[in-house]
Amino acid sequence: MADSRLIVAALGLSQIIGYGTLYYGFSVLAPQMAEDLAWSKEWVFGAFSLALLAGGLAAPFSGRWVDRFGAGRVMTSGSVAAALALIFCACAPGKVSFVVGLAAIEVASSFVQYSAAFALLVQIDHERAPRNITYLTLIAGFASTLLWPITAALQAQMSWRDVYLVFAAVNLLIGAPIHFWLSTLSSPNKALPKDGEEGPASTQQPGLLSPAQRPKAFLLMVIGFSLLSFVNTATLAHMLPALAALGLGAMGVLVSTLFGPAQVLSRLINMIFGTNLPAPSLALVAAVLEPLALVILLASAPWIPGAVAFSIIFGLGSGLSSIVQGTLPLYLFGKDGYGALIGRVTAVRLVVSATAPFVFAFVMESIGIASAVFLTVVLGIASNAAFLWICRLATESRAATTSVLPKFS
């Protein structure tokens, strides 16, 4: 078995490539894409939202394939598919083929980004997976920090089509070999139980919850993650215009730059001090921080220190939410069928988050920025209720069982 630090470092690099080339790079290239295709930027971003929706719908399939064939193999194929999709999009002669290319890129991304990466860490070593997921999100948190300036530098020297060809080469020559190597270190779940059936006793690792608690906990988890993802996506998509509308003006740009470092900082803090905090409690903390940050912004705008506090606290919550998307399902449900489970959760979460920018923009134009932010706060509070209920179920399960629980170190 290879050193876990090397595994996480290699997978972290592949996540920077996956998120940077398949997600973050688009926002830098979008204006040039719009000009090249004689399309408005709004339509280009609308096409990207449709592509994200396609990626969300593909997530359940990628999750099942991860369980059946192994996450490493699926991610290797995903890197190759991402490279081919980027090439197709780069060569697209018109708007329809461009949209098809974007959709193919985001479908491929569901096979190489967090959901598959988390499953890979579980399949390699499920006992250390929660800690390794934290390490992984810490490294991958630099994807936007690195790829935004790199993409801008490439765009200054070449067209967006050429940049996408460079991205394709990176996925094919760096991402795919990393995933192929990692595929030799992991193994899929050989015997997957059908829905409602028990798997072989020798391979069962049932997690914390009893069979009776699982349906309710799964529904609550989907609701909690979906609402939190809506809050996160809506806020980030409109952060700069929202700060400007609330009176921050040009300072809004400076304030927004604090989000990324705060997101990485939260993962570092959790890595050092949060090792004994159960996943449901960590999910609740993440769910509390994001609406709290928005309340601070509403109450203090246009006071700059308040906006600074908003950006930092929101970044802290966002950083933690990425961790619990991987650790909470493992903690509650165990490792068997983990890929399929997280794929189903991811599908709903991505579909909901794809609507967030449009819904927020509609509300903002209809009844004002303050009302739009307040609505987002309400949804954040609803996510708190879902995770609080999950914490209660987890407490009841710990109190009711005397069996040995999975070790999370």
Side-chain angles (χ1 to χ4, degrees):
M1 173 67 69
D3 188 288
S4 62
R5 291 171 295 184
L6 180 59
I7 292 171
V8 172
L11 192 55
L13 175 59
S14 83
Q15 291 303 285
I16 290 175
I17 292 170
Y19 276 97
T21 63
L22 307 180
Y23 182 78
Y24 289 115
F26 176 85
S27 62
V28 178
L29 301 173
Q32 193 183 98
M33 292 173 171
E35 182 179 354
D36 180 43
L37 295 166
W39 223 359
S40 69
K41 286 190 291 185
E42 289 76 12
W43 277 106
V44 169
F45 276 101
F48 188 58
S49 293
L50 286 176
L52 292 174
L53 181 62
L57 295 176
F61 298 98
S62 68
R64 284 203 166 273
W65 292 346
V66 158
D67 282 334
R68 189 167 301 279
F69 303 111
R73 294 176 184 175
V74 169
M75 295 183 79
T76 303
S77 301
S79 290
V80 175
L84 295 175
L86 286 162
I87 293 171
F88 179 89
C89 195
C91 299
K95 297 171 183 176
V96 174
S97 55
F98 170 76
V99 174
V100 172
L102 279 185
I105 289 170
E106 294 311 314
V107 168
S109 74
S110 69
F111 293 85
V112 298
Q113 291 178 348
Y114 272 158
S115 296
F118 293 161
L120 178 59
L121 292 176
V122 170
Q123 290 177 357
I124 290 175
D125 185 350
H126 75 269
E127 291 189 351
R128 299 189 184 205
R131 175 68 64 86
N132 288 337
I133 286 172
T134 301
Y135 293 155
L136 177 65
T137 57
L138 178 64
I139 298 171
F142 291 99
S144 61
T145 305
L146 294 173
L147 263 295
W148 277 336
I150 289 174
T151 304
L154 289 173
Q155 187 184 35
Q157 303 296 323
M158 59 185 72
S159 71
W160 73 266
R161 296 178 186 273
D162 292 332
V163 174
Y164 263 22
L165 292 177
V166 172
F167 286 173
V170 171
N171 277 276
L172 189 61
L173 300 179
I174 301 178
I178 288 174
H179 295 149
F180 178 76
W181 170 63
L182 292 172
S183 71
T184 65
L185 306 178
S186 63
S187 58
N189 295 329
K190 297 296 185 181
L192 293 178
K194 296 180 180 179
D195 293 339
E197 295 183 0
E198 295 294 327
S202 61
T203 63
Q204 283 287 90
Q205 198 237 13
L208 178 68
L209 299 178
S210 67
Q213 292 175 312
R214 287 175 167 232
K216 181 187 293 184
F218 178 77
L219 178 60
L220 289 169
M221 188 171 64
V222 169
I223 292 172
F225 281 144
S226 297
L227 292 176
L228 197 59
S229 185
F230 184 99
V231 171
N232 194 283
T233 304
T235 303
L236 292 180
H238 295 279
M239 181 178 287
L240 289 179
L243 291 174
L246 290 170
L248 272 297
M251 283 300 298
V253 177
L254 179 61
V255 167
S256 66
T257 61
L258 300 173
F259 168 81
Q263 188 172 232
V264 173
L265 178 63
S266 70
R267 295 164 181 170
L268 182 62
I269 292 172
N270 180 69
M271 183 178 70
I272 298 173
F273 300 107
T275 55
N276 295 321
L277 188 65
S281 300
L282 188 63
L284 182 60
V285 171
V288 167
L289 287 176
E290 293 197 13
L292 174 62
L294 292 169
V295 169
I296 292 173
L297 179 63
L298 274 180
S300 63
W303 190 46
I304 292 175
V308 168
F310 150 75
S311 188
I312 293 174
I313 294 173
F314 196 86
L316 293 173
S318 179
L320 293 178
S321 69
S322 298
I323 297 173
V324 296
Q325 285 166 20
T327 59
L328 184 60
L330 179 63
Y331 184 87
L332 296 177
F333 300 96
K335 71 180 181 68
D336 291 298
Y338 175 84
L341 179 72
I342 199 171
R344 288 157 60 196
V345 175
T346 299
V348 179
R349 181 176 60 80
L350 290 180
V351 168
V352 171
S353 64
T355 68
F358 295 101
V359 173
F360 190 95
F362 176 79
V363 175
M364 185 169 59
E365 291 296 324
S366 301
I367 56 179
I369 179 62
S371 298
V373 174
F374 178 76
L375 176 62
T376 309
V377 170
V378 172
L379 294 177
I381 292 173
S383 74
N384 292 339
F387 289 121
L388 187 61
W389 202 339
I390 288 175
C391 287
R392 178 181 175 183
L393 289 175
T395 300
E396 290 175 353
S397 183
R398 283 194 297 266
T401 184
T402 57
S403 62
V404 178
L405 297 180
K407 181 181 177 182
F408 290 84
S409 59

